[in-house]
Amino acid sequence: MPVAEIGRVAEFVGGEVTIRGWLYNKRSSGKLLFLLVRDGTGVIQALVSLADAGEEAFAAAAALSQEASLEITGAVREDRRAPGGFELTVHSLRPIGPSEEYPIGPKEHGTEFLMDHRHLWLRSSRQHAILRVRHEVIRAIRDFFNDRGFMNIDSPILTPAACEGTSTLFETDYFGEKAYLTQSGQLYNEAAAMAFGKVYCFGPTFRAEKSKTRRHLTEFWMVEPEMAFADLDDAMELAEGLTVFIVERVLERRRADLALLERDLTRLEAVRPPFPRISYTDAVERLKAAGHPFEWGGDFGAPDETVLAEQFDRPFFVHRFPAAVKAFYMKRDSQDGRLALGADLLAPEGYGEIIGGGQREDDLATLERCIEEHALPRSAFEWYLDLRRYGSVPHSGFGMGLERTVAWVCGIEHVRETIPFPRLLNRITP
Amino acid sequence: MPVAEIGRVAEFVGGEVTIRGWLYNKRSSGKLLFLLVRDGTGVIQALVSLADAGEEAFAAAAALSQEASLEITGAVREDRRAPGGFELTVHSLRPIGPSEEYPIGPKEHGTEFLMDHRHLWLRSSRQHAILRVRHEVIRAIRDFFNDRGFMNIDSPILTPAACEGTSTLFETDYFGEKAYLTQSGQLYNEAAAMAFGKVYCFGPTFRAEKSKTRRHLTEFWMVEPEMAFADLDDAMELAEGLTVFIVERVLERRRADLALLERDLTRLEAVRPPFPRISYTDAVERLKAAGHPFEWGGDFGAPDETVLAEQFDRPFFVHRFPAAVKAFYMKRDSQDGRLALGADLLAPEGYGEIIGGGQREDDLATLERCIEEHALPRSAFEWYLDLRRYGSVPHSGFGMGLERTVAWVCGIEHVRETIPFPRLLNRITP
């Protein structure tokens, strides 16, 4: 008997097939049992009758409880009314592993309870949908860069120095030396871009921030491209292209998952180029005009971003921030020395910043001064300064937060559901 | 004037093009200067003559030193004798960033010197070739699993408990609790496989081992697939398929890089299925027969693996190890209780283990006993035991070390060159 995944059961219509999976749900109607069986690739309705399955199998089916594992063999037919569109008339059934008092039922559970049972919660249809979208976003990101000649250069996780301040770093002992978990692969990316031209890293990054918001994880994945011979406009163009590519890919391949999440597709279909590009100074004016008090010179917080986002139907760039609120490596604007050539991409619908980046300082003397002004330990950055000593070139790049992007694409409230095992201020289990 | 990457210069033969890059090498022949320019996508020979380039550009070219950045415009023509197969007759030249006394020259440098300058060493042709093979291996791995319906489920880096002992863990403070950097995503993968059927994680893993060998990094990347409803044979079949796929892909797409590394291609072309599968007990007999002393019950070391590998022309499996030397979660062999259903894939040519895995214990009571026998903290594994409480099924998987695989495919001596910024016992910089 052929064994098939539920996702491929259409190939067996009119024939017999064996399916292995877990009981998702069960109901009875007179002398019939309707089993809803899932195997990770889909869900199928299995019809168990005394006549077709025999006494033993019928009794075994009747005894199955939620999330018990089983193997069933039967005849496949199309049935548009059935969940998934197919039905299996069971001829034989073999229970595999029991499941007594499965803790997650159809009733409402609190978030902490579900998070404590994350290893089981992953089996629910909503979590399936979100993590399938995540899978597709990851694939889209890698396809986008690989197909455009970017080299995947993995940056290190264990680093000797802080990239953007030390207060939010996880520290570990490295055979007697202090080491920190990376917050960004950017500095290493810059070295790699001088070697390979166009590169990206894509891995976990860490922030020991005491933030408890719906946008913060202490461990999250970030993709960071970096390009030699590229300026701020090139970085924005790349960021726009990537974002459009991701949304198109998910709309093309994960419509069923978006439907399950009740995502408003018109909002995603509006994600078309070109994205609006407004300067920081213009953004401040817009905030003031909207009656939202904001002083030129500060960094935007989530409420500010939300007010701005209400003015656009798609993601938009804010560029040329006050240099004082940005990282030491950002290049100054030659038109206005107060400004840094950075850009953030803000998602609509209040999802906030999903991309941050810009052009990097490529002048040795200026960068040396910036390191001094930011009171950073010069010796830790000597290798980074080397990139300006030996064939410095204009270069740009950005980082896109995977989980924030997935949360926006899915239209869900909190980033904690967008990663298989979230790490939060108060949570490192399971 | 069109700007082109060197890798695409063939499209401009007979026309003019602008190229941006770095000076890789320079020689003069009478009144001609030959610049070898690299941009990360390739190398091109640029011919600078007083007549074609003019006095100013000629003087600028003459003043360029190794790794200076520059922009050149000129006419492209095919020239089979030139490195890369094309030559550019320069009409204009613009120096961008100088490079005085570039530290890495054509002379021999010591390993520690090169590792201290890893951010610059990446620009050399040998490092390019190795890291391009790495890029291709990563792509092949992801394509292999994505195309076969495996879901990419990222496992967490920060974990509350040890998977395989605590002596080789990096520890960090997690807001007042102890946390450890992951050594393997397997336990989380098992939870995900019960939700999605077939999954893989692919990310950095950490071992604080005081090993200083050519096979050890403290931070390395590992891909770990896990399948529900799969046994030891299924795991070996998947591992064989993956290994063949990777080698074929690199042979297909990275021949020039393998040639630069002087890789013996006949050794890679021999990597065809089926791979030999010998039991641990058989392997011990083979060692003894080869005059290599080995006691049944011990774990293989690098010298043992090398002796075994000499007997095969391709990767081979050793399976069914003594349970005592393997991890607590391995399923016992029902035919012989002393044995665990594990399998290692050993690469030929002395590269040793590149894959380790097998079938997982799926019986609740047995697993509880194993946790006790290994003196592991039961409470930390309650969630893992849940996977056996709620619909347990036979399941299998493995981990493949990326850097060891790349070292073998490239035929190079040490894993330290297979990762952009290696982390070793005595090295966490740059």
Side-chain angles (χ1 to χ4, degrees), chain A residues 6 22 24 37-43 67 102 118-136 254 256-258 260-261 406 410 417-418 420, chain B residues 151-153 191-199:
Chain A
I6 294 169
W22 293 265
Y24 199 60
V37 177
R38 66 165 193 87
D39 72 349
T41 70
V43 167
E67 285 302 320
Y102 186 70
R118 184 64 176 167
H119 55 293
L120 303 175
W121 189 24
L122 291 177
R123 304 181 185 189
S124 80
S125 59
R126 176 180 159 90
Q127 301 309 311
H128 261 224
I130 296 167
L131 292 176
R132 273 196 294 253
V133 170
R134 177 188 170 99
H135 169 86
E136 203 64 57
R254 294 294 169 188
D257 294 314
L258 294 174
L260 188 143
L261 297 167
V406 172
C410 288
E417 290 180 81
T418 64
Chain B
M151 280 274 299
N152 182 187
I153 294 291
M194 301 302 138
F196 293 98
K198 296 188 295 189
V199 300

Side-chain angles (χ1 to χ4, degrees), chain A residues 411-430:
Chain A
I412 62 174
E413 179 69 13
H414 200 296
V415 290
R416 67 184 160 223
E417 290 180 81
T418 64
I419 187 165
F421 294 92
R423 297 300 180 237
L424 302 157
L425 181 55
N426 59 347
R427 172 166 303 277
I428 194 173
T429 56

Side-chain angles (χ1 to χ4, degrees), chain A residues 100-156:
Chain A
E100 278 165 37
E101 297 178 39
Y102 186 70
I104 303 177
K107 68 175 188 296
E108 281 284 318
H109 295 284
T111 299
E112 286 308 302
F113 179 86
L114 290 170
M115 295 286 274
D116 285 341
H117 293 85
R118 184 64 176 167
H119 55 293
L120 303 175
W121 189 24
L122 291 177
R123 304 181 185 189
S124 80
S125 59
R126 176 180 159 90
Q127 301 309 311
H128 261 224
I130 296 167
L131 292 176
R132 273 196 294 253
V133 170
R134 177 188 170 99
H135 169 86
E136 203 64 57
V137 171
I138 293 169
R139 233 180 132 166
I141 288 169
R142 291 190 173 265
D143 286 350
F144 181 86
F145 289 114
N146 291 340
D147 292 347
R148 281 159 186 76
F150 283 72
M151 279 276 299
N152 182 188
I153 295 290
D154 297 307
S155 53

Side-chain angles (χ1 to χ4, degrees), chain A residues 158-170:
Chain A
L158 292 166
T159 57
C163 179
E164 299 182 41
T166 54
S167 62
T168 58
L169 287 173
F170 289 108

